[in-house]
Amino acid sequence: MSVVMRSLRSRAAVAGGCVAALGLGFALAAGSPASAAAQTDPNGRYTAEEIHHFLEGFYGNHGPRAWEREHLVSDQLKEQAAQTPDYDLLLCAQNEPRDIEVGEVTTAQSARVGWATITTHWGQAPTTRTFTAYVDLDGSRPLQLLQVDCEPGD
């Protein structure tokens, strides 16, 4: 058990239920995705693991929902997506995929960006398509999708 948790337990025993609830809230918040800034690397950048988790949550099984599109996409990418009303720029497709997989994340610390290949699966046949999703590494801001490259990687 960590020193912090032991200290919280001791204080909870002395101060009563309010501190216990606070300690529990602190422990839960420390492990939640919402506290990602506290989990960044020592230089204040999001890690590959955090970005992978973000992209899995963002894309889900069938693509981002309205909330993700509104709150987890950069303003510049929203503007680009609005210019393609018959094409879903965030999925590089016209329809909803049957399934989505997020590949391994690469981070370029000097460029302060991370990216992963996103693979979409379509229909009954084993048809797939890949594209690249980019995320800002700056841990002082909430994670958001910065850019999508619909051209397949080499």
Side-chain angles (χ1 to χ4, degrees):
M1 181 184 305
S2 73
V3 171
V4 172
M5 290 306 292
R6 270 185 257 166
S7 175
L8 284 174
R9 272 194 160 173
S10 297
R11 288 181 192 161
V14 171
C18 291
V19 175
L22 178 63
L24 178 59
F26 173 76
L28 291 174
S32 73
S35 67
Q39 299 172 7
T40 55
D41 75 5
N43 295 313
R45 295 178 290 232
Y46 288 109
T47 64
E49 181 179 347
E50 289 168 316
I51 293 169
H52 191 271
H53 182 73
F54 167 78
L55 289 170
E56 283 184 330
F58 180 84
Y59 280 107
N61 292 325
H62 305 290
R65 298 170 303 190
W67 190 90
E68 283 87 5
R69 292 171 184 275
E70 176 63 26
H71 299 285
L72 302 178
V73 176
S74 71
D75 290 339
Q76 178 184 2
L77 185 54
K78 284 181 198 173
E79 289 175 17
Q80 291 174 342
Q83 296 174 13
T84 60
D86 297 329
Y87 184 76
D88 188 342
L89 184 63
L90 302 183
L91 286 169
C92 297
Q94 292 178 316
N95 303 313
E96 181 180 293
R98 181 174 48 90
D99 194 24
I100 299 176
E101 293 177 33
V102 176
E104 184 176 343
V105 172
T106 301
T107 59
Q109 303 299 331
S110 61
R112 299 192 63 86
V113 69
W115 65 90
T117 298
I118 310 297
T119 303
T120 52
H121 301 269
W122 303 90
Q124 299 300 325
T127 304
T128 62
R129 173 146 169 80
T130 62
F131 61 92
T132 306
Y134 295 87
V135 176
D136 188 353
L137 295 181
D138 186 350
S140 69
R141 297 187 294 234
L143 280 163
Q144 66 176 205
L145 191 65
L146 288 182
Q147 191 57 264
V148 175
D149 182 0
C150 293
E151 295 298 318
D154 293 338

